[in-house]
């Protein structure tokens, strides 16, 4: 975990060093690309890591920074790493941010909740789809767990499973109590994992 964190840390500013602050969008796309590459290295052979959209009969998601899908399912459209898939093919959605404020964090988890709800479907337990938020910089304020709960709006399908912020901040949603294994539980816990959160 530490070596993955170190690798991400060394790669994250490579584009910024070359172009400085002349094009933030390119810097953000580079950071998403780095994370996609690292995830693909350890993904099972039947999983593909890309970016794109989830489309069902009635609607489309917003663009997803990292979209992991089961490649044994048909792809609606593919061009490079840009894909359009059905909810049934989706296995994980990850939003990537360089840094967040309180406002942008809530906006990100709300957007991620919308996408997760589309991917997971209307019935609880219908599809196992991971939803995560990856932030390169540490969060410098309190209230993360409250905002995660607010973004989910009390609906299981909208839950963001993990948040990684900086090299050490990590948040995990526990459906079962981690101490007793009992349900119902349904709470987020925040951890300090020294130089291991990104891994």
């Amino acid at each position: 975990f530490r070596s993955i964190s170190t690798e991400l840390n060394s790669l994250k500013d490579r584009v910024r060093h070359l172009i400085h602050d002349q094009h933030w969008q390119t810097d953000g796309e580079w950071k998403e690309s780095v994370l996609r590459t690292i995830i693909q290295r350890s993904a099972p052979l039947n999983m593909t890591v890309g970016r794109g959209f989830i489309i069902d009969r009635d609607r489309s998601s917003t663009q997803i920074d990292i979209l992991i899908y089961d490649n044994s399912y048909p792809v609606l459209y593919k061009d490079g790493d840009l894909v359009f898939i059905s909810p049934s093919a989706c296995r994980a959605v990850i939003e990537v941010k360089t840094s967040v404020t309180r406002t942008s964090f809530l906006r990100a988890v709300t957007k991620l909740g919308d996408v997760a709800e589309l991917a997971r479907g209307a019935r609880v337990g219908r599809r196992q789809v991971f939803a995560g938020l990856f932030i390169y910089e540490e969060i410098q304020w309190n209230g993360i767990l409250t905002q995660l709960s607010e973004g989910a709006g009390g609906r299981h399908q909208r839950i963001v499973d993990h948040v990684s912020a900086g090299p050490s901040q990590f948040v995990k949603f526990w459906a079962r109590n981690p101490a007793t294994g009992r349900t119902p539980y349904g709470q987020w816990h925040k951890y300090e994992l020294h130089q291991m959160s990104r891994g």
Side-chain angles (χ1 to χ4, degrees):
F1 293 149
R2 287 190 182 109
S3 68
I4 291 170
S5 292
T6 301
E7 182 179 8
L8 277 166
N9 199 45
S10 67
L11 291 173
K12 73 181 177 75
D13 291 328
R14 184 167 290 169
V15 167
R16 188 175 297 180
H17 289 314
L18 295 171
I19 63 172
H20 304 287
D21 60 356
Q22 295 175 22
H23 203 267
W24 292 113
Q25 183 178 350
T26 301
D27 182 59
E29 289 170 357
W30 163 250
K31 288 176 178 165
E32 293 165 14
S33 174
V34 166
L35 191 54
R36 280 194 297 270
T37 299
I38 287 174
I39 292 170
Q40 185 67 66
R41 285 185 204 154
S42 59
L45 293 176
N46 67 319
M47 296 294 158
T48 301
V49 181
R51 62 187 175 90
F53 298 83
I54 301 168
I55 299 175
D56 74 3
R57 186 178 314 168
D58 303 316
R59 59 189 171 138
S60 169
S61 71
T62 54
Q63 183 168 331
I64 303 160
D65 297 332
I66 299 178
L67 181 57
I68 302 172
Y69 60 96
D70 186 335
N71 56 40
S72 65
Y73 284 75
V75 172
L76 303 174
Y77 179 79
K78 181 176 183 185
D79 186 9
D81 66 352
L82 176 65
V83 293
F84 294 78
I85 63 168
S86 64
S88 58
C90 184
R91 294 297 172 266
V93 292
I94 302 171
E95 182 78 8
V96 180
K97 299 288 183 193
T98 297
S99 61
V100 290
T101 62
R102 285 178 190 271
T103 303
S104 65
F105 181 83
L106 181 57
R107 196 168 41 241
V109 297
T110 301
K111 174 190 168 186
L112 196 51
D114 292 342
V115 172
E117 189 170 39
L118 173 61
R120 290 171 176 154
R123 288 196 324 265
V124 173
R126 182 172 161 201
R127 282 190 285 274
Q128 293 293 327
V129 177
F130 172 85
L133 177 59
F134 187 95
I135 308 162
Y136 276 93
E137 305 297 329
E138 287 194 355
I139 294 173
Q140 302 297 326
W141 40 267
N142 295 322
I144 297 167
L145 305 184
T146 302
Q147 287 193 312
L148 283 163
S149 180
E150 189 176 330
R155 298 206 302 273
H156 184 79
Q157 300 93 327
R158 298 182 56 82
I159 288 169
V160 174
D161 300 291
H162 292 170
V163 176
S164 172
S168 302
Q169 293 177 336
F170 186 75
V171 177
K172 176 177 172 53
F173 178 81
W174 292 93
R176 294 177 175 272
N177 185 316
T180 66
R182 292 191 181 138
T183 58
Y185 186 69
Q187 294 183 31
W188 287 270
H189 288 220
K190 184 179 174 192
Y191 303 92
E192 286 293 320
L193 305 175
H194 181 67
Q195 297 296 317
M196 293 192 298
S197 174
R198 292 171 174 161

